[in-house]
Amino acid sequence: MNRGELKKESEKWVKEGVISSDQRNRILSRYEKNTRHPVLLTFAALFIGLGFLTFIASNWSALTDLVKMAIILFFLLVFYGAGFWFYNKKSKSFGLSLLIVALSVFGAGIFLTGQMYHFTSFTAFPFFIWSLAAFGLLIVFQESLLFIAALVIITAGQIYSGSVYQEFYIPLGILFIAGLGMILYKKGNRLLTGLFAVSYAVQSIVFIFSHGWSYYWLILLFLVLYIVSHFPYGRIHLKPFGAIAVFSIFIINVFQVFLLGYESEDVEYSNLFF
């Protein structure tokens, strides 16, 4: 009998007078709560989201605008409503999976609505709206999977902005540092710290090359990451920042030695270094 079943059965025992409330609490304390999110449900949520996108993409042109909007709103309400209900009433794991599906539908709805009404954005603004939705869910539920979802959306948005428009989208950067960074500082763990550091490294590359600066400036940004890993006293989970920073600088040196060879690069040095 798992903890969930025992919790329900013991409640009946208390009502029937078999055990007291104090005895019930002591029995339940012997069974730890299972807070791990099943991998199977995570993949199920991802495949459901991908299935929805595939179905919509293959039949989108044959639908009218009214039907398109109705489909988007219907699936949003269904998955968000079911996710909230299951998370609070039945199974947190299953509810969280439904919320991830709803977040995927929301992101797809942003781009499909823009395509439907011929709205063209020459920035990563759609990714910013999408990431705000993920951040809102993270604030409400405080789940690691939602943190990862928001992190992936922000990183993808910056890569899209840098590769398509050759610019670093500032609002995404602010949400990344001020939003996810603050949550990571207070309640993060080593896994989330490592993923955050990898995203920071990727966004640093986008930031430097979108401004046309020399790659040497990446060393300065990675140095900031290394300093942060040693600065906050008592925040042991931030230590992976240092490892990611050192590894990133090592990759830069490998790039410089083996790919650039003996070719010299014209670097504009700033007075900041002297």
Side-chain angles (χ1 to χ4, degrees):
M1 181 180 296
N2 57 39
R3 194 180 193 277
E5 295 175 347
L6 181 61
K7 187 176 181 180
K8 294 179 181 178
E9 289 296 325
S10 61
E11 188 175 354
K12 296 179 181 178
W13 298 340
V14 172
K15 292 180 179 179
E16 295 172 357
V18 178
I19 60 175
S20 64
S21 297
D22 182 61
Q23 290 173 327
R24 175 177 181 265
N25 293 331
R26 281 188 291 174
I27 292 174
L28 290 176
S29 65
R30 293 176 176 270
Y31 293 82
E32 297 182 358
K33 293 183 178 180
N34 184 11
T35 58
R36 296 176 296 175
H37 184 77
V39 177
L40 183 60
L41 288 178
T42 302
F43 278 103
L46 292 176
F47 283 127
I48 291 174
L50 291 175
F52 172 80
L53 295 178
T54 303
F55 171 78
I56 293 299
S58 60
N59 298 277
W60 194 249
S61 59
L63 304 175
T64 63
D65 290 349
L66 182 60
V67 174
K68 293 175 182 178
M69 186 59 65
I71 290 176
I72 294 174
L73 292 177
F74 173 77
F75 278 103
L76 274 178
L77 293 176
V78 167
F79 283 117
Y80 271 125
F84 274 88
W85 189 82
F86 272 99
Y87 187 89
N88 293 311
K89 300 294 184 179
K90 293 293 184 178
S91 171
K92 288 189 175 182
S93 299
F94 187 67
L96 186 59
S97 299
L98 291 177
L99 290 173
I100 294 296
V101 175
L103 185 62
S104 302
V105 174
F106 179 77
I110 293 176
F111 295 101
L112 293 174
T113 303
Q115 181 188 33
M116 183 169 47
Y117 292 103
H118 307 288
F119 175 77
T120 303
S121 176
F122 296 100
T123 64
F125 181 72
F127 284 94
F128 179 65
I129 298 299
W130 194 5
S131 62
L132 281 178
F135 184 72
L137 291 175
L138 175 61
I139 293 297
V140 173
F141 295 102
Q142 298 289 321
E143 292 284 352
S144 297
L145 193 61
L146 293 173
F147 182 96
I148 296 174
L151 191 67
V152 170
I153 295 171
I154 291 175
T155 307
Q158 291 291 18
I159 294 175
Y160 174 81
S161 179
S163 59
V164 176
Y165 303 115
Q166 287 75 50
E167 72 171 1
F168 181 86
Y169 194 63
I170 300 298
L172 281 176
I174 294 176
L175 181 60
F176 174 73
I177 298 296
L180 296 187
M182 185 59 64
I183 292 177
L184 180 71
Y185 181 80
K186 292 181 178 180
K187 299 182 179 180
N189 54 51
R190 289 183 178 270
L191 173 61
L192 299 183
T193 300
L195 294 175
F196 185 91
V198 171
S199 177
Y200 176 89
V202 172
Q203 293 186 61
S204 297
I205 295 174
V206 174
F207 178 78
I208 293 300
F209 288 105
S210 63
H211 287 82
W213 296 348
S214 169
Y215 70 90
Y216 283 115
W217 286 98
L218 285 172
I219 298 177
L220 181 62
L221 294 179
F222 295 151
L223 179 62
V224 172
L225 190 65
Y226 183 82
I227 293 174
V228 170
S229 70
H230 291 77
F231 179 73
Y233 176 76
R235 302 292 177 178
I236 304 299
H237 66 274
L238 295 183
K239 293 301 180 181
F241 277 173
I244 299 297
V246 171
F247 180 75
S248 300
I249 295 176
F250 172 76
I251 294 299
I252 292 177
N253 290 331
V254 171
F255 171 79
Q256 181 179 359
V257 172
F258 293 100
L259 297 183
L260 294 183
Y262 296 99
E263 296 180 3
S264 61
E265 179 185 5
D266 294 331
V267 180
E268 295 182 2
Y269 293 98
S270 170
N271 291 331
L272 178 64
F273 293 106
F274 299 98

